[in-house]
């Protein structure tokens, strides 16, 4: 199969360290600072809570290893869209891009930009009425800095990633060592949550781990991608898993399971016990920086998918254009940012979270299934192969499918809306193919 032209037009300027920090920045957003409280409400003990965070981390690591092989096989811009298009045809690729634009990437960006606005308002003492202007301003800002080349965007993304890791480190140190004796039995059962089950916590936890696929969308800009992608995905995921488990241990140490379940802002509650109101403001600043970095990488990654779709004739041709100097898909970037702003202004955070997480993990499972097609077609050229094949990819697919089914059963309305949006892409694709004959076959 011939190499797409995008691999010849993008500049390969992302170094291994840049790539690893993109993985970290694409995963750590606002989820770890907010969602542990939601997960605690849906588990019955500290042990169950830590197990689901560690288990979801291992599941995500398996998915990252699968994406490492996919990226090594097809080190081009577009990520999941490319894999689905090649394995299952242009309709599958179009449906991914369609859902990514309308729900997955745009919804994630809008949801996390809303978190940024809430925390930024708290830091600077702004009224609630400023939340929406701050949300829009954040999306405009991160779009603007990426119009001038991936190198500048990567440098700013690295700064965001390092600052968010610093915020996590400060939170862990304060929770484990500076907040007093706290709750010694962090694994104890919470009698107020007896019998709540386990799987209900999966969605908020998986949302916090979402984003490990973003690096593959930028594969066309990574130096020596066959070697860099597997290393960056593995290192980045291990850093995130350790950080997430330690943060939850810190929460349980200070607040206990019942206190964590009752907390709407556990990170702020922990820091307030150490430094008072100043501590709450410091962690609010850390959360704001973290969420801004997540929005940055989500928009950058999603724009590459739209650009490749436009080049394939499955989207507007103008979106396929790269800036002649900076080699960035500026039209695609502005389009995705614009739609994220529309969602932020019209849909609440909870719905955005459910829409984006449901669609994102469903798309991940389907994309991982393309590994079986690639292995059958050409098993000799991959520079990296996921260990434990086929069992680990199957475990990932089955587990994610189980979570998706349970989520759909527990929240049929939101799951149904996402499914309808995906299904609506089929007639749109057929009409597009009829009106425009440029799509690849």
């Amino acid at each position: 199969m011939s190499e797409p032209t995008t691999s010849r037009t993008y500049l390969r300027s992302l170094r291994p360290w840049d790539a690893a920090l993109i993985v970290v920045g694409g995963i750590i957003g606002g989820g770890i600072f907010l969602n542990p409280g939601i997960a605690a409400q849906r588990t019955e003990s500290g042990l169950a809570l830590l197990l689901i965070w560690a288990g979801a981390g291992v599941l995500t690591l398996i998915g990252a290893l699968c994406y490492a092989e996919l990226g090594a096989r097809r080190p081009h811009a577009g990520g999941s869209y490319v894999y689905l298009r090649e394995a299952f045809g242009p309709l599958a690729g179009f449906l991914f891009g369609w859902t990514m634009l309308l729900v997955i990437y745009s919804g994630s960006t809008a949801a996390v930009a809303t978190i940024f606005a809430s925390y930024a308002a708290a830091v600077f003492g702004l009224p609630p009425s400023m939340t929406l202007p701050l949300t829009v301003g954040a999306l405009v800002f991160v779009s603007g800095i990426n119009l001038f080349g991936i190198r500048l965007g990567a440098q700013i993304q690295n700064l965001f990633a390092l600052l968010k890791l610093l915020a996590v480190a400060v939170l862990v140190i304060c929770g484990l060592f500076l907040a007093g004796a706290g709750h010694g039995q962090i694994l104890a059962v919470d009698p107020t949550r007896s019998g709540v089950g386990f799987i209900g916590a999966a969605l908020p936890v998986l949302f916090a781990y979402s984003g490990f696929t973003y690096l593959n969308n930028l594969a066309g800009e990574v130096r020596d991608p066959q070697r860099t992608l597997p290393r960056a995905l593995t290192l980045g995921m291990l850093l995130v898993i350790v950080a997430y488990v330690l943060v939850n241990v810190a929460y349980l140490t200070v607040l206990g399971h019942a206190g964590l379940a009752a907390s709407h802002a556990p990170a702020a509650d922990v820091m307030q016990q150490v430094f008072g109101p100043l501590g709450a403001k410091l962690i609010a600043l850390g959360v704001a920086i973290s969420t801004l970095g997540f929005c940055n990488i989500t928009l950058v990654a999603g724009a590459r998918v739209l650009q490749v779709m436009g080049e394939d004739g499955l989207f507007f041709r103008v979106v396929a254009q790269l800036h002649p100097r900076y080699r960035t898909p500026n039209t695609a970037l502005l389009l995705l940012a614009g739609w994220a702003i529309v969602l932020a202004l019209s849909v609440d955070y909870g719905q955005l979270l459910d829409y984006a997480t449901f669609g994102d993990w469903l798309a991940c499972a389907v994309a991982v299934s393309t590994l079986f097609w690639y292995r059958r077609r050409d098993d000799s050229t991959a520079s990296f192969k996921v260990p434990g094949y086929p069992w680990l990819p199957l475990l990932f697919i089955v587990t994610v499918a189980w979570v998706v089914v349970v989520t759909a059963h527990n929240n049929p309305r939101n799951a149904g809306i996402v499914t309808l949006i995906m299904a609506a892409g089929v007639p749109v694709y057929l009409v597009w193919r009829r009106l425009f004959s440029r799509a690849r076959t």
Side-chain angles (χ1 to χ4, degrees), residues 170-181:
V170 169
L171 182 59
V172 170
I173 291 171
C174 289
L176 296 183
F177 303 108
L178 301 179

Side-chain angles (χ1 to χ4, degrees), residues 23-311:
V23 175
V24 173
I27 299 175
I28 301 179
I32 189 57
F33 302 106
L34 298 175
N35 290 4
I38 301 173
Q41 295 170 10
R42 302 177 185 182
T43 54
E44 62 183 13
S45 68
L47 176 61
L49 180 69
L50 293 178
L51 284 177
I52 197 166
W53 279 95
V58 172
L59 177 69
T60 311
L61 177 60
I62 294 172
L65 292 173
C66 295
Y67 264 76
E69 178 174 338
L70 290 169
R73 288 179 177 276
R74 292 295 183 270
H76 316 309
S80 298
Y81 164 77
V82 173
Y83 317 143
L84 292 168
R85 183 200 67 200
E86 291 190 355
F88 303 133
L91 173 59
F94 178 86
L95 290 179
F96 170 79
W98 165 264
T99 312
M100 180 221 71
L101 171 61
L102 296 182
V103 176
I104 301 175
Y105 284 33
S106 55
S108 296
T109 307
V112 176
T114 302
I115 299 174
F116 163 81
S118 299
Y119 275 86
V123 170
F124 298 105
L126 300 175
S129 60
M130 288 300 297
T131 300
L132 284 179
L134 284 172
T135 300
V136 174
L139 295 174
V140 171
F141 171 72
V142 295
S143 302
I145 62 177
N146 286 286
L147 297 177
F148 303 101
I150 191 65
R151 185 70 255 152
L152 174 62
Q155 291 171 348
I156 296 175
Q157 177 62 33
N158 290 351
L159 177 61
F160 284 148
L162 292 173
L163 288 175
K164 70 177 64 180
L165 287 175
L166 176 62
V168 167
V170 169
L171 182 59
V172 170
I173 291 171
C174 289
L176 296 183
F177 303 108
L178 301 179
H183 296 259
Q185 297 185 359
I186 63 173
L187 305 181
V189 174
D190 180 358
T192 64
R193 303 287 168 181
S194 179
V196 298
F198 188 84
I199 190 61
L203 198 62
V205 173
L206 287 177
F207 177 80
Y209 278 108
S210 299
F212 69 93
T213 63
Y214 296 158
L215 177 61
N216 285 50
N217 293 359
L218 301 165
E221 292 154 279
V222 175
R223 296 178 185 174
D224 191 13
Q226 284 86 354
R227 289 165 54 88
T228 299
L229 289 173
R231 293 178 180 180
L233 283 163
T234 303
L235 175 61
M237 271 309 309
L238 291 175
L239 282 173
V240 171
I241 293 171
V242 171
Y244 278 11
V245 172
L246 287 177
V247 168
N248 277 276
V249 171
Y251 289 153
L252 291 170
T253 300
V254 177
L255 304 174
H257 189 274
L260 179 57
S263 175
H264 297 290
D269 291 343
V270 169
M271 292 297 291
Q272 183 149 348
Q273 289 202 26
V274 181
F275 298 114
L278 176 61
K281 281 190 174 291
L282 286 174
I283 198 60
L285 179 61
V287 174
I289 292 171
S290 178
T291 52
L292 197 62
F294 177 89
C295 294
N296 179 67
I297 192 59
T298 307
L299 290 177
V300 170
R304 271 62 183 175
V305 175
L306 295 179
Q307 187 274 325
V308 179
M309 289 180 66
E311 192 171 68

Side-chain angles (χ1 to χ4, degrees), residues 7 13 20 39 87 122 190 275 294 322 328 331 336 338 349 368 394 396 430:
S7 65
S13 56
D190 180 358
F275 298 114
F294 177 89
L322 298 180
T328 47
T331 303
L336 184 59
Y349 170 76
V368 167
L394 283 174
F396 179 85
L430 295 175

